[in-house]
Amino acid sequence: MTLPVTIHQNYSLIHQNTLGLPSIARYYAEVNTVEELQEALTFAKEKGLVILPLGGGSNVVLGDVLDALVIHINLKGLSVVHRDERQVTVTAMAGENWHEFVLWSIDQEAYGLENLSLIPGCVGAAPIQNIGAYGVEIKDYFVSLDAINISTGDVEQFDNFDCCFGYRDSVFKGEKKDRYIIISVTFALDAVLSPRLGYGQLTDSLSEKHGDSVLTALQISQAVCDIRQQKLPDPKTIGNAGSFFKNPEVDQQTMERLKKEYPDIVAYPVGEKWKLAAGWLIDRAGLRGVQQGSVGTYQKQALVLVNHGGATGSDVIAFSQYVLEKVKNQFGVELEREPRVYR
């Protein structure tokens, strides 16, 4: 078959993942249009290959050799679909950088995503993870997404209900896992800025810089960026995948037990449960700044695993397992990895 998309063999992904892991894809394609994506899927089906979609590579741990067709989703495009006095509906293609999309939305006077500034990755991955920060989650502004059915090659649409959003979760991590590739996402943003400042650290930072003055979305975005840059390492400087573990939820009985033993434990109520700060648990377990071989926890934020140079995917998984076991043994709480593991 004649393909409009180039298929590479034995392709290095070391620069395609923010952990900087030296992974090799048996087959690799970068797609810039939906048609190229559909052709790549046809190629994979004819070859009997597993499909591994890859965006910004910021939330994955890659194995040494991936016996699959790795498809880099590079679909680009941003547009304002509708605007009225209350809402601004915008659509972003899956390959757009998330942070740049947030800045673009602010520039379009479309508000709500400023608290999600500087989250790494691309737009297409955002609904899968239901990314969130400082009291805002994707689901709060999500309208719908278009996705390619990997099996049929057809484009299907999913609304907010269809996506079954949860904490760092969606139907694409459950029932629909590995069955679709997202190609575009549509959001209904606010036409008038209504700041979400429920998190103390963000509120304090803005108050310190701007006092009681009326805030702009760009000022909120910059404050979020400043906080994130203080806590999280730049992948261009040291390989990392951002926050590596989810904040675990525990029941009331477990919370009472932990509070007695650790009065300063960081937690907040979520319905009938309590959400614990995974970073606090790892730090309190004595693991902040710890290093084994080429992998360790970041000195400024124990929630982040870093590649000090030369680490493989197996090294990262082994060290993360060490962290899981240490936390479980000390607190009786099970952590869960956030990044997707491709082997």
Side-chain angles (χ1 to χ4, degrees), residues 204-211 213 219 222-224 226-227 230:
D204 293 345
S205 176
L206 287 165
S207 178
E208 181 181 336
K209 293 178 182 177
H210 305 290
S213 61
Q219 288 171 336
Q222 187 57 57
V224 170
D226 291 344
I227 293 170
Q230 289 169 13

Side-chain angles (χ1 to χ4, degrees), residues 61-132:
V61 178
L62 303 180
D64 297 346
V65 178
L66 303 178
D67 189 14
L69 172 61
V70 175
I71 304 178
H72 178 216
I73 310 301
N74 196 41
L75 308 177
K76 296 297 179 69
L78 299 167
S79 60
V80 175
V81 179
H82 175 76
R83 181 190 298 271
D84 59 35
E85 61 183 17
R86 189 174 64 88
Q87 284 188 331
V88 183
T89 304
V90 301
T91 295
M93 297 301 289
E96 290 287 346
N97 175 274
W98 175 260
H99 178 62
E100 292 178 6
F101 165 59
V102 171
L103 294 181
W104 174 86
S105 69
I106 292 172
D107 192 50
Q108 301 302 309
E109 298 182 344
Y111 309 117
L113 302 180
E114 45 279 343
N115 289 34
L116 306 182
S117 296
L118 211 62
I119 291 179
C122 296
V123 168
I128 298 174
Q129 189 78 356
N130 184 26
I131 61 173

Side-chain angles (χ1 to χ4, degrees), residues 195-254:
R196 302 272 286 273
L197 305 177
Y199 272 65
Q201 189 177 16
L202 179 57
T203 303
D204 293 345
S205 176
L206 287 165
S207 178
E208 181 181 336
K209 293 178 182 177
H210 305 290
D212 296 327
S213 61
V214 177
L215 296 169
T216 68
L218 201 56
Q219 288 171 336
I220 296 170
S221 172
Q222 187 57 57
V224 170
C225 290
D226 291 344
I227 293 170
R228 292 184 66 87
Q229 288 171 332
Q230 289 169 13
K231 297 193 299 184
L232 302 174
D234 185 346
K236 295 175 183 177
T237 303
I238 183 168
N240 73 91
S243 299
F244 202 89
F245 302 97
K246 294 181 181 180
N247 291 325
E249 293 185 356
V250 298
D251 58 26
Q252 182 67 34
Q253 184 178 1
T254 302

Side-chain angles (χ1 to χ4, degrees), residues 273-337:
K273 294 190 174 183
W274 289 82
K275 186 169 291 185
L276 308 179
W280 185 93
L281 296 171
I282 299 167
D283 197 342
R284 192 58 177 267
L287 294 174
R288 180 156 59 98
V290 168
Q291 181 176 343
Q292 290 184 352
S294 298
V295 186
T297 52
Y298 187 49
Q299 184 62 48
K300 295 182 180 179
Q301 173 52 270
L303 193 58
V304 177
L305 300 193
V306 295
N307 175 5
H308 290 286
T312 66
S314 298
D315 296 332
V316 173
I317 294 303
F319 182 80
S320 68
Q321 187 62 37
Y322 168 71
V323 173
L324 294 175
E325 291 172 0
K326 287 276 286 185
V327 169
K328 177 65 183 294
N329 291 339
Q330 180 163 337
F331 301 100
V333 174
E334 293 189 7
L335 295 182
E336 183 182 348
R337 301 180 184 97

